[in-house]
Amino acid sequence: MAGVASGTPYVTQWSVGARKEVEPGTDAWLLRQGGSYGLIGHATVLTQPYEDVHFADPRRTAGFVDVAFDELVVEGDRVPRDVLEVVVPEVAWRFQFRSGNRIAPAANLRVRELWREAMSALG
């Protein structure tokens, strides 16, 4: 992921489960869910959902999109979950599905603002 630090987006596949309504241009937030909980990355969805081999069971398929990570931070620079819960309380930060949770537009704007502030503070 060193390329992201130098300004090169990291493109990868992202599981969306059975979701069909994910649109290109949608924000994708990487949430650390163990140990030091919090946001550690931002990506933009590049594709419509498509089927591919399931990440845990090669006999099944699952829905995916391609995303481009433009920012990733180390654990110590994350936006902590307790801050997310105060700034964007309507998102279930403690209950995430493998395919992710949908964030309403107004709430997503607040997540974006919080992320921008955090990234600006890092320099």
Side-chain angles (χ1 to χ4, degrees):
M1 313 288 172
V4 174
S6 67
T8 303
Y10 174 71
V11 177
T12 190
Q13 192 177 58
W14 182 281
S15 173
V16 294
R19 297 176 192 272
K20 303 287 187 215
E21 70 282 354
V22 181
E23 294 294 323
T26 300
D27 288 318
W29 300 102
L30 184 57
L31 181 68
R32 180 175 166 84
Q33 299 184 68
S36 301
Y37 295 85
L39 284 184
I40 60 170
H42 173 265
T44 302
V45 174
L46 300 175
T47 64
Q48 295 285 336
Y50 59 88
E51 292 290 312
D52 204 348
V53 176
H54 192 276
F55 56 89
D57 184 351
R59 297 168 295 179
R60 298 182 5 209
T61 62
F64 295 90
V65 293
D66 291 343
V67 297
F69 279 95
D70 53 8
E71 293 176 310
L72 294 165
V73 298
V74 296
E75 179 182 321
D77 292 334
R78 77 195 179 288
V79 176
R81 182 175 65 187
D82 59 340
V83 172
L84 292 164
E85 290 175 327
V86 170
V87 176
V88 193
E90 63 268 51
V91 174
W93 296 109
R94 293 177 186 264
F95 185 74
Q96 297 297 312
F97 297 109
R98 284 187 180 168
S99 60
N101 286 2
R102 183 175 236 168
I103 300 177
N108 191 59
L109 284 176
R110 291 198 314 282
V111 174
R112 278 179 156 201
E113 290 170 14
L114 183 61
W115 183 256
R116 283 288 126 240
E117 290 170 9
M119 295 305 98
S120 292
L122 292 175

